[in-house]
Amino acid sequence: MNANRLRTHTEPTVLFVDMNSFFASCEQQDNHWLRGRPVAVCVYTGRQGCVIAPSIEAKGRGVKTGMRLDEAMQLCPDLVPVETHPSRYRDYHVKLINVLKRFADEVLPKSIDEAIVDLTRYQLAYPSMTDVARRIKQAIRTDVGDYLRCSIGIAPNAFLAKLASTLQKPDGLTIISPANIDDVLAKLTLTDLPGIAHGMSARLEAGGINTPLELRYASPDRLKLVCKSIVGWHWHLRLNFGGEVDMATQAYKQMQAIRSVSGAQRQSVETLHTILRTLCLTLERRMVRQQLFCQRLQGWVRYWNGKRYEDELTVSIPMQDGIDLYTTLCSRMDNYQQAHRCTPLLNADVRQIGVGVTDFMPADMVQYDLFEDNTRKDKFRQTLYAINDRFGPNTLVRATQIRPETPVKELIGFGSIKDLHDITDWEAV
Ligand SMILES: [Mg+2]
């Protein structure tokens, strides 16, 4: 997918597909008895359990994500609590992506229930983008599940397409183009824009930019002044059909953590694993600081004999957790070793280990109701770093980081200058 178009592109050829009440709809898809009823998907269905995904019917009755189950039951006494089935949602996600890929090669999953379909190269094949969108909706009903609905936004870039997909739910189909963008923006507030949270909105308002329309027509100089960074200008570009097609934050292109391995360290496989895990946790810390999740992960090992092992993968569910990064890289190393029947990749010949993350996505665009109890896990990470910010690094560390027998020091990244800046920030606290 062409992530960075250099010139402004004004044809609405990018589709953003957002499944409506995805988890609850998957449950209703598989269980006819749940159809038409207000359903609340919960990690745990005790009284204090938390609703992570209400069905369309439950939303209509006022049930919201994040409510406690007893509160939700008071509001909607016939609510049906259902426990999560992550593998079910993953299966439907895979089916969905496969259906979308029938329409274009350029399909980019953005979360478990969202994907971008870039039809820019298919303008001759599809004379009407709304027709394609209707065909996609139909294909989802016939080939993924007849109870599944989606909202599709169509626009010249992914940011505006995502915005368009939020404007009509459920089963929406909305276009944003140069002809109607001002009318659309006039009805919205700053925080209605995907990725603009309260902090950013407060900063813009303090600088006299109170609405999305004012943001669209503000000058670059004014925006730089107001936001004290290039970020405001990026929002402006997105609202003016310029900038990136992809929504990945451009401020950070890549983060890397690299470590040279000493003679003593390479003698112990366990120490090599500790180093790899520490590198992953270093990247986790930087992503939490920058409020980013990554969609692409790289791992590499350099050996004294000049050889190199390299791995790179795209993940359909954005990642931030260091231990998740570590286990992903390890299981791929295991597969590699088995497939090629070679000696362990982490061995006494290792000279350097590196991990990189890229294709970032702002944390507030990552659906928190993903799997199992990610909300709690993400919150835990934020809290951990907030406490360390106040009381000094390593006030709190996870059990997996405690390895007194093999101390591994904090690492300096060798990525972009922003990476170094980030490290300096961290050392200053
Ligand atoms: Mg959705």
Side-chain angles (χ1 to χ4, degrees):
M1 184 164 300
N2 182 4
N4 274 304
R5 282 199 186 99
L6 291 174
R7 58 197 170 73
T8 304
H9 167 79
T10 53
E11 286 294 313
T13 53
V14 178
L15 272 63
F16 193 96
V17 180
D18 175 19
M19 301 304 293
N20 303 131
S21 302
F22 184 58
F23 291 179
S25 300
C26 291
E27 297 297 342
Q28 291 169 315
Q29 179 62 42
D30 283 8
N31 184 343
H32 275 253
W33 187 79
L34 296 174
R35 295 190 182 189
R37 290 172 187 248
V39 171
V41 176
C42 310
V43 173
Y44 138 82
T45 49
R47 233 162 51 85
Q48 306 279 328
C50 171
V51 177
I52 65 161
S55 68
I56 293 170
E57 299 82 357
K59 281 179 186 164
R61 305 273 296 275
V63 176
K64 293 197 167 71
T65 301
M67 264 184 186
R68 257 184 22 212
L69 196 51
D70 53 358
E71 279 176 83
M73 296 291 289
Q74 245 168 21
L75 206 64
C76 175
D78 51 338
L79 188 69
V80 187
V82 176
E83 283 189 8
T84 47
H85 296 101
S87 61
R88 178 172 289 167
Y89 315 140
R90 271 184 213 117
D91 290 347
Y92 278 115
H93 169 81
V94 171
K95 279 190 199 164
L96 167 71
I97 299 303
N98 287 338
V99 163
L100 296 178
K101 282 189 172 157
R102 299 207 307 244
F103 291 86
D105 289 334
E106 286 91 349
V107 173
L108 182 68
K110 280 312 222 184
S111 71
I112 190 155
D113 73 331
E114 297 173 326
I116 294 168
V117 185
D118 186 355
L119 297 177
T120 308
R121 290 201 300 114
Y122 297 78
Q123 291 172 62
L124 294 176
Y126 302 123
S128 159
M129 292 295 154
T130 42
D131 278 356
V132 194
R134 285 197 196 96
R135 281 168 52 196
I136 288 176
K137 280 166 177 276
Q138 187 54 47
I140 291 172
R141 277 194 288 265
T142 44
D143 299 332
V144 186
D146 62 344
Y147 206 75
L148 302 181
R149 298 286 177 273
C150 65
S151 289
I152 299 183
I154 308 174
N157 64 34
F159 172 77
L160 290 171
K162 164 138 183 143
L163 176 62
S165 78
T166 64
L167 299 178
Q168 195 190 356
K169 282 181 177 179
D171 208 18
L173 175 51
T174 309
I175 299 190
I176 294 179
S177 72
N180 72 348
I181 184 163
D182 285 357
D183 293 338
V184 170
L185 294 183
K187 296 186 191 105
L188 303 177
T189 63
L190 286 172
T191 49
D192 288 333
L193 301 181
I196 294 201
H198 288 287
M200 181 66 176
S201 140
R203 192 177 282 190
L204 288 167
E205 279 162 17
I209 296 167
N210 296 297
T211 65
L213 218 46
E214 285 170 5
L215 182 57
R216 174 158 144 83
Y217 289 106
S219 73
D221 288 343
R222 182 163 171 219
L223 279 170
K224 271 182 211 156
L225 206 69
V226 168
C227 299
K228 298 182 183 75
S229 81
I230 198 76
V231 174
W233 181 240
H234 289 153
W235 296 113
H236 169 93
L237 282 177
R238 291 173 187 134
L239 296 180
N240 285 280
F241 312 110
E244 76 278 54
V245 165
D246 198 314
M247 290 179 302
T249 296
Q250 299 299 304
Y252 280 82
K253 287 214 161 62
Q254 194 186 28
M255 294 179 190
Q256 290 187 343
I258 302 170
R259 189 174 171 93
S260 295
V261 177
S262 74
Q265 287 168 332
R266 74 176 67 95
Q267 301 309 320
S268 151
V269 174
E270 205 201 329
T271 306
L272 293 171
H273 273 278
T274 306
I275 290 172
L276 179 61
R277 196 165 45 232
T278 309
L279 294 171
C280 292
L281 288 164
T282 301
L283 293 179
E284 168 193 299
R285 194 186 61 235
R286 287 188 222 162
M287 287 193 280
V288 171
R289 285 284 144 80
Q290 301 303 328
Q291 302 185 20
L292 297 173
F293 278 63
C294 71
Q295 296 173 98
R296 216 165 158 69
L297 171 63
Q298 299 147 345
W300 65 92
V301 184
R302 284 187 179 194
Y303 302 94
W304 278 105
N305 63 11
K307 297 212 160 98
R308 209 177 150 105
Y309 163 79
E310 282 179 358
D311 187 22
E312 180 158 9
L313 70 146
T314 299
V315 291
S316 60
I317 292 127
M319 296 174 91
Q320 189 186 56
D321 190 277
I323 299 302
D324 286 350
L325 301 176
Y326 167 73
T327 50
T328 305
L329 290 174
C330 285
S331 80
R332 289 176 57 100
M333 282 187 183
D334 287 345
N335 290 345
Y336 184 96
Q337 282 159 209
Q338 275 167 24
H340 302 285
R341 297 190 185 168
C342 58
T343 50
L345 294 167
L346 293 181
N347 59 42
D349 197 34
V350 172
R351 178 180 180 171
Q352 186 196 70
I353 303 177
V355 183
V357 287
T358 178
D359 284 21
F360 296 115
M361 183 171 183
D364 50 11
M365 272 192 207
V366 178
Q367 294 263 317
Y368 277 121
D369 50 356
L370 287 187
F371 294 126
E372 294 131 34
D373 207 356
N374 271 357
T375 318
R376 224 192 277 158
K377 219 157 118 186
D378 292 338
K379 263 241 131 57
F380 163 76
R381 276 201 298 274
Q382 277 170 10
T383 312
L384 187 118
Y385 290 109
I387 291 173
N388 285 345
D389 275 351
R390 275 193 67 187
F391 301 106
N394 301 330
T395 304
L396 285 185
V397 294
R398 301 167 188 227
T400 45
Q401 280 168 281
I402 303 172
R403 300 267 160 172
E405 73 282 14
T406 51
V408 176
K409 286 206 298 193
E410 280 304 331
L411 304 145
I412 303 295
F414 288 86
S416 66
I417 293 168
K418 291 189 187 79
D419 254 335
L420 293 174
H421 178 74
D422 177 27
I423 288 289
T424 317
D425 276 351
W426 181 78
E427 280 173 350
V429 296

